[in-house]
Amino acid sequence: MATGEAPGATTDHGGSGTAVTLPGTDELPVGSVVTASGRVSAAEEFRDTPASGPFTPAQLGRLDEALTMCSRETGLRFAVYLGDLGEDPNGRVAQLHDEIEGSAEAVLVAVSPEQRIVEVLTGAGARVRLPDNGAKLAVMSMVTSFKESDLFGGLLSGLRMLADAAGERHHHR
């Protein structure tokens, strides 16, 4: 935020005290002044810029936390994709899943709100731990939340349900 003298304010800079009016200064925007050096100083109202996506920074933090906790608890890699899935949604979901490091142990939740698609894809290793009926229940729960315009809550509850269905990480000795 820039600072400057407010219009109409009297300031003694130790000079002769003579005010100087520059041509065109009557047309300055509200909150702008011409400083003693001739520079225009303008105060601007701070506006919080809207998030570049559907989630606030706090929600993104919570979603990241949920993904981390689900992965830690189960030993599987959880990932979320939110966006358009193109003309071949199944092919795009498979491609996205394959791009996940350690995709055999990965669980991808892909959501395309505009296309009204929610899909959970598991790798071969993850599929052993996360049965289809567990994934279907999580998808049904997410869809119910999405219909109520709760994208964030739906993703959080869906991740929790998927992690619960997969069970805890097996520790080998």
Side-chain angles (χ1 to χ4, degrees):
M1 180 181 285
T3 59
E5 298 173 2
T10 308
T11 305
D12 183 10
H13 294 288
S16 65
T18 307
V20 177
T21 304
L22 299 175
T25 56
D26 291 340
E27 295 147 16
L28 287 175
V30 174
S32 299
V33 296
V34 177
T35 63
S37 68
R39 183 179 67 83
V40 175
S41 178
E44 293 182 25
E45 182 180 341
F46 175 77
R47 291 196 177 116
D48 215 3
T49 56
S52 61
F55 304 121
T56 66
Q59 287 175 322
L60 285 173
R62 287 187 58 202
L63 189 55
D64 184 58
E65 217 172 82
L67 286 165
T68 301
M69 292 306 297
C70 290
S71 294
R72 277 188 193 151
E73 290 173 11
T74 64
L76 302 175
R77 294 178 180 268
F78 282 81
V80 171
Y81 173 84
L82 180 63
D84 191 89
L85 293 168
E87 292 184 25
D88 178 18
N90 291 335
R92 179 67 177 137
V93 171
Q95 176 191 8
L96 290 165
H97 185 271
D98 288 346
E99 291 173 6
I100 300 170
E101 185 178 329
S103 62
E105 300 295 321
V107 178
L108 172 65
V109 177
V111 180
S112 177
E114 295 297 317
Q115 294 173 294
R116 303 176 70 91
I117 296 172
V118 180
E119 190 168 331
V120 173
L121 185 61
T122 55
R127 194 170 303 119
V128 172
R129 303 249 326 273
L130 181 57
D132 282 348
N133 63 345
K136 287 177 185 175
L137 288 173
V139 167
M140 288 179 3
S141 172
M142 286 186 276
V143 167
T144 300
S145 293
F146 299 163
K147 284 181 180 178
E148 298 295 320
S149 299
D150 187 7
L151 185 61
F152 175 70
L155 284 172
L156 282 185
S157 68
L159 287 170
R160 174 80 306 187
M161 289 178 74
L162 290 167
D164 288 347
E168 289 186 18
R169 169 194 303 253
H170 299 296
H171 298 285
H172 298 285
R173 294 184 184 234

